[in-house]
Amino acid sequence: MSAPVRAVGAVLAAVLLSGCGLQWLWNEPVHRAPSVAPVATTPVPTPSELDDRALHPYTGELAAGATCAQATKRQLAALEDIGGVGGSVTYPVGVLVRSNAGWWTAAVATRATGGAGSVEPYAFFVTSYPTYADDPDHEPFAWQLASAAGDRAARKALACVKKLPVPRPRPDPGSPDSYTGRLAKGAGCHSVTTSLLDRLQAVGGVGGAITYPRGRMVHANGAWWTVAVETSVNPNSLGYTSDDVAPTALFVTNAPSARSGAAVVAFPIRPHASDRAARKTLGCLA
């Protein structure tokens, strides 16, 4: 047995003979490295990860020599998307003014229709699209401001937009309000079918004593057609004579343009000096 082994055996024998157990030997405290739990931290973005809103904060100050520029239809449509409106709430007109660090401040007039409820008369936005729209190295940003309070650029834009005339709302193409009396390009005279004459008699509240035996029509703006009809007073017990009824009547209808299943609209009109379609179709009827 080698010397080291013998030494170990002697030590164990001495321990056993002394009446002491081995517990103290095997339970010797072990010194371990302290355990350190990782602490969760928010990573700090590098300058390349920051966008212009952080690198160049918006302050609402005006750029040197800033003037107001009227917003285009495309810009107004984009601002409607940002504002989450459209349909019953629209932005008919607006302006943009250059503010600090490449930002532009926009003020738009609002219009509510169709039961949209009450809305603020103006809305305000900040955008960098005019600055970086064509720059592939920059991502433009845009957001809505709560108000113009304390914002010099927003107040200037508001003062400018208040000076702009607000265009009248564009009526729905199927609404009678969309009829203008303008002639379609190349509009000519056309005959009116018997079924359309019957429909116009119903619209005009006649039939029996008064009828529309013939008519002519021309294509006006959009899907509208202007119709001139000749009136006829038939023998009746109501006492009507040709002296009681105008010799012609004018109507507007979309019947010749309506597709299968589409709603057909017809309504009477009175002659008006600016209605070129009415003048032409009366000439066709003569």
Side-chain angles (χ1 to χ4, degrees), residues 2-197:
S2 63
V5 174
R6 286 197 299 269
V8 172
V11 171
L12 291 176
V15 170
L16 292 172
L17 292 173
S18 66
C20 297
L22 292 177
Q23 184 175 359
W24 67 271
L25 182 64
W26 305 130
N27 288 346
E28 183 73 14
V30 178
H31 297 284
R32 303 179 185 275
S35 175
V36 179
V39 178
T41 59
T42 301
V44 178
T46 63
S48 61
E49 295 174 330
L50 295 173
D51 58 47
D52 281 345
R53 292 169 296 182
L55 293 173
H56 311 290
Y58 172 74
T59 65
E61 292 299 313
L62 284 166
T67 58
C68 292
Q70 186 167 349
T72 64
K73 290 183 179 181
R74 183 177 180 182
Q75 289 170 335
L76 290 171
L79 293 175
E80 287 179 3
D81 289 340
I82 297 166
V85 299
S88 59
V89 178
T90 56
Y91 302 152
V93 69
V95 298
L96 291 92
V97 62
R98 185 72 178 263
S99 46
N100 71 292
W103 299 110
W104 292 73
T105 310
V108 297
T110 62
R111 174 185 285 145
T113 58
S118 61
V119 295
E120 293 297 323
Y122 299 96
F124 307 94
F125 299 86
V126 177
T127 177
S128 60
Y129 278 92
T131 301
Y132 298 127
D134 299 323
D135 189 343
D137 297 327
H138 285 83
E139 180 183 1
F141 292 94
W143 68 92
Q144 185 170 1
L145 293 172
S147 72
D151 190 310
R152 292 183 60 197
R155 291 201 304 270
K156 181 175 179 65
L158 175 61
C160 290
V161 78
K162 284 183 175 180
K163 298 177 182 178
L164 293 177
V166 179
R168 295 179 61 185
R170 180 176 295 180
D172 183 85
S175 166
D177 292 337
S178 66
Y179 173 74
T180 65
R182 293 194 304 268
L183 280 168
K185 186 177 180 180
C189 299
H190 297 268
S191 299
V192 179
T193 63
T194 301
S195 60
L196 182 52
L197 288 171

Side-chain angles (χ1 to χ4, degrees), residues 210 233 238-246:
I210 302 170
V233 180
L238 300 175
Y240 289 130
T241 68
S242 57
D243 295 332
D244 304 317
V245 181

